[in-house]
């Protein structure tokens, strides 16, 4: 028996209904914020992903050579493809350019619940502005996107990479040690960070203070710690402005400042943020984003860019854990011919109803009335129409309300208005 490749999944019709429902909901939030949808190819030239991250990323992605010996990769994320698209074709568009996407991504990850080798991301990029209001709006969009679909328990953490970089400079950490520390900071492994700092001959007091600032959410303490760095003045003022707008204008008060968000320092800069669903445990991160630089690297005219990606599959997992009630799949009408001779008329009526947008099924198994009614029930049909010879002679059919069991004779010409009025 064949099985799906490791880390990939099939989706049943019911699961697809849920996925489409969540997608539609997310789309409508993106749209209300003035974002427009784009699509890019599933595979790209490998170089697009190694340009910023280096060859080490090849271990984590699906790369291959095609029959023309081109080096390609299944996309592991969509920010680089979107910026490639922007540089190739969209640079002349009026700014800010607000784009959203849904797309499958592929990573050579170790599969577990919430972590797959093929998964879907929903994301946004805003191009051409770096104002605090643009960043605040972007963060609010990510937050409300997840709130609007019905998640009750999410946490928003906001950090700033310029601040953490300045902290490294302040204590005199080399780039090599910085690389070693970043994954530990990302995972909040503060004891290990302390050990490395001590090995690097950083004094106990300085190391302890550094770790305290990594863990504090008190902006005044952070400001005080980096106060000698004049280059940070504007960034910190913008950072505070973003936080102010989130609270006052976007009505988001439940966020935490988390300076230890690092998100791959080579990619992002300045503002960064993450949204978690604590109910998911280890794989709780639903969304990651921030400001980044890629346009120049891809040969475009430098302009500010920021964005976020939401893990679509994890969002659905979180909704399920929170026992969110997805709408039950249903159909409007199930048409039952009482015998073979009534088949033609049944199909004809079904087709007329479908043309008017009524979700209609016809018995295709010649099951007879009793079994067909049971089947209609299992498909959550609102109504059943039973077509028999005697009724047809009066240009009528039997309309049954599947909830109450009430039946009435209805003229075929009046069926549509009857269905629409109930
Ligand atoms: P990233 O592009 O790594 O910032 O990921 C953005 C979001 O995509 C994460 O917050 C996760 O929710 C989701 N994600 C990342 N990797 C995977 C994966 N292997 N399986 C499922 N979701 C993922």
């Amino acid at each position: 028996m064949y099985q799906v490749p490791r880390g990939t999944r099939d989706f049943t019709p019911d699961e697809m209904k849920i996925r489409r429902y969540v997608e539609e909901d997310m789309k409508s939030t993106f749209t209300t914020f003035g974002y427009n949808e784009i699509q890019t190819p599933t595979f790209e030239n490998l170089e697009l992903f190694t340009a910023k991250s280096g060859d080490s990323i090849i271990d984590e992605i699906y790369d291959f050579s095609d029959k023309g010996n081109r080096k390609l990769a299944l996309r592991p994320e969509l920010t680089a493809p979107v910026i490639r698209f922007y540089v190739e074709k969209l640079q002349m568009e009026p700014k800010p350019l607000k784009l959203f996407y849904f797309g499958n991504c592929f990573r050579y990850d170790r599969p577990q619940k919430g972590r797959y080798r093929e998964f879907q991301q929903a994301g946004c990029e805003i191009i051409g502005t770096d104002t605090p209001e643009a960043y605040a709006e972007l963060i609010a969009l990510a937050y409300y996107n997840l709130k609007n679909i019905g998640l009750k328990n999410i946490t928003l953490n906001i950090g700033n990479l310029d601040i953490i970089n300045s902290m490294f400079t302040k204590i005199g950490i080399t780039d090599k040690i910085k690389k070693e520390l970043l994954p530990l900071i990302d995972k909040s492994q503060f004891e290990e960070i302390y050990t490395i700092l001590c090995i690097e001959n950083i004094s106990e007091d300085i190391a302890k203070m550094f770790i305290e600032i990594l863990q504090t959410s008190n902006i005044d303490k952070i400001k005080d710690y980096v106060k000698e760095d004049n280059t940070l003045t504007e960034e910190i003022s913008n950072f505070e402005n973003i936080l102010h707008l989130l609270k006052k204008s976007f009505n988001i008060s439940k966020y935490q400042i988390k300076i230890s968000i690092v998100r791959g320092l080579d990619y992002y800069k300045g503002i960064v943020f993450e949204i978690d669903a604590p109910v998911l445990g280890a794989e709780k991160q639903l969304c990651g984003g921030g400001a980044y630089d890629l346009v120049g690297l891809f040969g475009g005219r430098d302009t500010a860019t920021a964005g976020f990606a939401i893990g679509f599959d994890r969002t659905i997992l979180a909704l399920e854990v929170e026992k969110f009630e997805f709408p039950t799949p249903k159909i409007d009408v199930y048409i039952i011919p009482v015998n073979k001779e009534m088949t033609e008329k049944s199909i004809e009526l079904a087709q007329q109803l479908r043309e008017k947008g009524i979700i209609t099924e016809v018995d295709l198994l010649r099951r007879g009335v009793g079994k067909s009614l049971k089947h209609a029930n299992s498909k959550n049909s609102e109504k059943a129409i039973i077509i028999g010879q005697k009724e047809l002679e009066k240009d009528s059919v039997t309309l049954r309300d599947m909830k109450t069991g009430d039946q009435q004779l209805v003229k075929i010409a009046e069926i549509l208005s009857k269905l629409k009025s109930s």
Side-chain angles (χ1 to χ4, degrees):
M1 197 174 67
Y2 295 113
Q3 290 180 333
V4 293
R6 190 166 141 77
T8 69
R9 291 152 301 151
D10 296 313
F11 299 106
T12 63
D14 282 354
E15 286 167 336
M16 278 314 295
K17 285 212 173 81
I18 288 175
R19 292 175 77 82
R20 292 288 185 232
Y21 168 82
V22 174
E23 211 172 88
E24 282 309 311
D25 208 301
M26 287 186 169
K27 252 183 212 167
S28 91
T29 305
F30 290 149
T31 309
T32 58
F33 275 72
Y35 279 71
N36 291 303
E37 187 168 11
I38 53 163
Q39 207 172 51
T40 62
T42 309
F43 59 86
E44 297 272 356
N45 291 311
L46 174 64
E47 243 188 306
L48 186 73
F49 303 110
T50 53
K52 187 92 186 182
S53 311
D55 282 351
S56 61
I57 197 176
I58 295 177
D59 291 341
E60 296 165 39
I61 65 180
Y62 282 86
D63 65 315
F64 59 99
S65 297
D66 73 1
K67 292 183 174 61
N69 256 332
R70 296 171 195 91
K71 285 188 178 316
L72 302 166
L74 297 181
R75 59 183 175 203
E77 51 94 26
L78 276 98
T79 299
V82 171
I83 298 305
R84 191 252 326 125
F85 182 20
Y86 167 74
V87 171
E88 240 184 297
K89 297 204 183 82
L90 303 173
Q91 288 197 79
M92 301 309 283
E93 294 288 311
K95 305 289 182 318
L97 191 56
K98 295 160 118 183
L99 307 171
F100 79 86
Y101 59 79
F102 288 89
N104 51 350
C105 302
F106 306 82
R107 292 186 192 175
Y108 200 70
D109 253 330
R110 184 188 289 265
Q112 54 186 287
K113 199 168 173 71
R115 183 166 288 281
Y116 312 102
R117 289 185 170 173
E118 182 181 12
F119 60 98
Q120 181 160 311
Q121 284 189 342
C124 286
E125 313 296 341
I126 182 162
I127 303 171
T129 171
D130 61 358
T131 58
E133 51 272 33
Y135 293 153
E137 188 188 86
L138 183 78
I139 297 171
L141 170 57
Y143 180 84
Y144 280 116
N145 188 290
L146 294 167
K147 271 275 162 210
N148 289 350
I149 56 170
L151 280 172
K152 291 195 200 81
N153 186 11
I154 54 172
T155 55
L156 167 62
N157 296 308
I158 306 172
N160 189 299
L161 294 184
D162 289 354
I163 297 179
I164 196 165
N165 270 326
S166 168
M167 288 168 61
F168 280 127
T169 311
K170 179 177 168 123
I171 62 168
I173 285 291
T174 61
D175 278 354
K176 185 172 159 274
I177 302 302
K178 201 162 102 179
K179 276 219 163 75
E180 235 175 272
L181 288 175
L182 288 175
L184 301 174
I185 295 175
D186 192 38
K187 294 192 195 84
S188 302
Q189 292 176 320
F190 298 111
E191 271 176 36
E192 287 84 345
I193 296 167
Y194 182 74
T195 311
I196 293 182
L197 292 179
C198 290
I199 295 170
E200 287 306 303
N201 291 326
I202 307 275
S203 82
E204 249 179 55
D205 285 352
I206 291 179
K208 278 190 180 143
M209 192 62 193
F210 181 84
I211 288 168
E212 193 184 322
I213 298 300
L214 279 182
Q215 290 177 273
T216 187
S217 55
N218 183 332
I219 184 72
D220 293 325
K221 258 192 176 172
I222 298 167
K223 271 165 67 179
D224 189 54
Y225 186 74
V226 290
K227 65 175 181 289
E228 293 96 23
D229 186 350
N230 295 328
T231 63
L232 272 186
T233 315
E234 196 184 345
E235 185 63 31
I236 289 185
S237 152
N238 286 344
F239 187 56
E240 286 187 297
N241 202 347
I242 293 168
L243 301 176
H244 174 79
L245 286 170
L246 283 174
K247 199 173 260 170
K248 286 281 173 294
S249 306
F250 288 103
N251 204 16
I252 302 172
S253 50
K254 279 208 221 137
Y255 60 76
Q256 283 279 323
I257 295 170
K258 193 173 167 195
I259 279 311
S260 63
I261 298 181
V262 289
R263 308 202 51 74
L265 269 184
D266 55 342
Y267 201 102
Y268 287 93
K269 55 161 204 175
I271 189 87
V272 278
F273 63 98
E274 290 176 350
I275 303 175
D276 295 342
V279 286
L280 290 184
E283 303 303 324
K284 65 177 184 217
Q285 200 195 106
L286 294 185
C287 171
Y292 58 86
D293 269 338
L294 274 182
V295 173
L297 184 73
F298 290 174
R301 253 166 291 115
D302 262 330
T303 187
T305 44
F308 63 80
I310 291 176
F312 187 80
D313 308 83
R314 283 189 200 170
T315 304
I316 290 175
L317 277 181
L319 284 166
E320 285 168 354
V321 177
E322 285 191 356
K323 303 244 176 308
F324 179 79
E325 285 190 24
F326 292 100
T328 0
K330 64 177 189 67
I331 59 173
D332 295 322
V333 185
Y334 195 88
I335 300 184
I336 307 168
V338 298
N339 55 36
K340 215 168 105 188
E341 285 66 47
M342 296 297 111
T343 305
E344 221 178 281
K345 191 70 201 168
S346 300
I347 294 173
E348 191 186 309
L349 179 61
Q351 200 44 35
Q352 284 164 4
L353 295 178
R354 287 167 184 155
E355 277 165 18
K356 300 292 176 197
I358 308 269
I359 306 171
T360 312
E361 276 206 55
V362 190
D363 170 35
L364 297 175
L365 279 181
R366 302 182 181 174
R367 266 192 262 237
V369 178
K371 281 191 182 154
S372 286
L373 280 174
K374 263 199 193 138
H375 185 65
N377 213 17
S378 74
K379 298 215 86 176
N380 266 323
S381 188
E382 296 274 343
K383 299 273 192 293
I385 290 175
I386 303 158
I387 303 193
Q389 185 63 43
K390 266 196 245 138
E391 293 86 350
L392 263 195
E393 278 163 14
K394 291 183 225 153
D395 287 326
S396 303
V397 293
T398 302
L399 180 65
R400 181 186 173 95
D401 185 313
M402 294 299 292
K403 265 188 222 107
T404 61
D406 291 345
Q407 293 197 165
Q408 53 177 318
L409 203 63
V410 177
K411 287 262 184 247
I412 293 180
E414 288 162 18
I415 260 292
L416 190 65
S417 58
K418 241 328 184 252
L419 287 173
K420 287 209 159 153
S421 68
S422 60

